[in-house]
């Protein structure tokens, strides 16, 4: 059976495999080359999910911006977003998210789609992995600090209220303290809404695992703690912009820590807790006034019109 993850939110694969060969990653050798599913098959799966009560889908791909480049005629990921937005009837799937983008292939048309299409949520997940250009070359990522920041500037210009999330690896082989500082510089410049942080660990059958310039575990641990502290600081700053605003929240479940509260997410993906009856509100979109910001979540109350 396909793992969905939740009764309101579902994962939907749109492209399998990966043609990249990042020096730390085992995916290409495990999952093979990229294979895109047809737009029609993806739409049918989304419609079947909607018929069983799902309200939100997250489109999945290891490198989702590569969607369609293996097809004839060639398609793009932006084409898929437009197709789903235009062909999913109202009152079926109301929110579309996706992961994961690759900065090397990131397209202006995807930014436009996220900014303009009603069903596509204003949320970008763009892993940067490192801030130092030499480390990025060693990782074989195919972009630089400046080209990554150029993507961020375009997102901020076209979709200023969108959330920007990322992934970072610290302690990659050969990463000096100076190189690590470039990661902190990039974080300060972007201020991510959410950042997945990892200390590098060697994976079997990957190039970097065999290099002799491995970073000692204590140095990795120190850098990981520093990025996590900075990521939490930025996340709270990004949460604080919601206070006093009324936002659209898709209710997913009961708050496990308070049975009188429900939990849902904003279109930008921020978790929101507020008082309400889960049996009445689950699967509904509710206008909520935000009264408190936390690092990774928000507290609100149902807005009175």
């Amino acid at each position: 059976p396909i793992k969905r993850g939740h009764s309101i939110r579902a994962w939907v694969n749109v492209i399998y495999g990966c043609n990249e060969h990042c020096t730390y990653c085992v995916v290409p050798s495990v999952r093979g080359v990229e294979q895109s599913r047809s737009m029609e098959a993806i739409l049918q799966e989304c419609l079947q999910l909607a018929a069983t009560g799902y309200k939100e889908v997250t489109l999945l791909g290891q490198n989702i911006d590569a969607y369609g480049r293996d097809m004839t005629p060639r398609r793009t990921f932006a084409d898929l977003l437009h197709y789903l937005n235009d062909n999913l009837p109202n009152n079926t799937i109301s929110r579309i998210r996706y992961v994961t983008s690759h900065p090397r292939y990131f397209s202006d048309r995807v930014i436009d789609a996220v900014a303009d299409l009603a069903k596509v949520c204003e949320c970008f997940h763009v892993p940067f992995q490192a801030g130092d250009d030499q480390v990025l070359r060693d990782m074989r990522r195919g972009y630089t600090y400046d080209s990554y920041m150029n993507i961020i500037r375009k997102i901020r210009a076209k979709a200023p209220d969108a959330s920007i999330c990322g992934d970072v690896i610290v302690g990659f082989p050969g990463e000096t303290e100076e190189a690590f500082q470039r990661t902190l510089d990039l974080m300060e410049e972007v201020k991510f809404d959410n950042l997945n942080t990892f200390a590098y660990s060697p994976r079997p059958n990957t190039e970097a695992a065999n290099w002799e310039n491995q970073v000692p575990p204590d140095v990795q641990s120190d850098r990981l703690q520093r990025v996590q502290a900075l990521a939490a600081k930025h996340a709270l700053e990004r949460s604080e912009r919601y206070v006093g605003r009324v936002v659209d929240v898709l209710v997913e479940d009961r708050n496990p820590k308070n049975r009188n509260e429900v939990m849902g997410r904003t279109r930008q993906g921020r978790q929101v807790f507020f008082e309400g009856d889960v049996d009445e509100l689950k699967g509904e979109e509710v206008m909520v006034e935000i009264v408190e910001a936390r690092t990774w979540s928000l507290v609100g109350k149902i807005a009175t019109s």
Side-chain angles (χ1 to χ4, degrees), residues 22 24 26 34 75 77 89 117 167 176 192 209 235 237 258 271 285 305:
C22 300
Y24 54 81
V26 76
E34 291 161 357
R75 303 283 194 188
F77 182 55
L117 299 178
D167 297 356
T176 62
F192 290 93
E237 285 178 34
N258 182 342
Q271 209 168 39
E285 293 194 52
S305 50

Side-chain angles (χ1 to χ4, degrees), residues 16-19 28 31-35:
Y16 299 98
C18 184
N19 290 3
R31 298 188 190 164
V33 297
E34 291 161 357
Q35 290 181 288

Side-chain angles (χ1 to χ4, degrees), residues 101-135:
S101 293
H102 192 306
R104 185 177 182 176
Y105 301 101
F106 197 81
S107 144
D108 291 1
R109 288 189 62 220
V110 171
I111 300 176
D112 291 342
V114 172
D116 298 339
L117 299 178
K119 293 186 177 74
V120 180
C121 290
E122 297 81 12
C123 184
F124 294 89
H125 182 220
V126 195
F128 70 101
Q129 307 299 13
D132 181 74
D133 287 352
Q134 183 58 53
V135 173

Side-chain angles (χ1 to χ4, degrees), residues 272-293:
V272 183
F273 298 100
F274 63 96
E275 207 166 285
D277 180 352
V278 71
D279 296 323
E280 182 187 323
L281 296 177
K282 187 172 183 176
E284 299 297 322
E285 293 194 52
V286 181
M287 300 310 292
V288 176
E289 181 185 347
I290 302 304
V291 298
E292 182 190 338

Side-chain angles (χ1 to χ4, degrees), residues 250-269:
L250 175 61
V251 177
E252 297 175 8
D253 235 320
R254 180 181 274 119
N255 178 358
K257 295 180 180 175
N258 182 342
R259 296 183 64 80
N260 296 320
E261 288 185 350
V262 295
M263 182 275 288
R265 287 169 213 275
T266 66
R267 286 178 60 89
Q268 293 85 357

Side-chain angles (χ1 to χ4, degrees), residues 158-210:
K158 187 75 185 181
D161 200 37
S163 63
I164 299 178
C165 306
D167 297 356
V168 62
I169 297 169
V170 303
F172 186 77
E175 183 187 63
T176 62
E177 178 61 25
E178 184 181 19
F180 172 68
Q181 285 295 330
R182 293 295 284 158
T183 287
L184 300 179
D185 292 344
L186 188 146
M187 289 172 63
E188 287 284 15
E189 204 168 342
V190 177
K191 291 184 166 53
F192 290 93
D193 291 70
N194 190 49
L195 187 63
N196 300 315
T197 60
F198 307 93
Y200 170 77
S201 60
R203 292 285 188 264
N205 305 314
T206 61
E207 288 180 52
N210 300 316

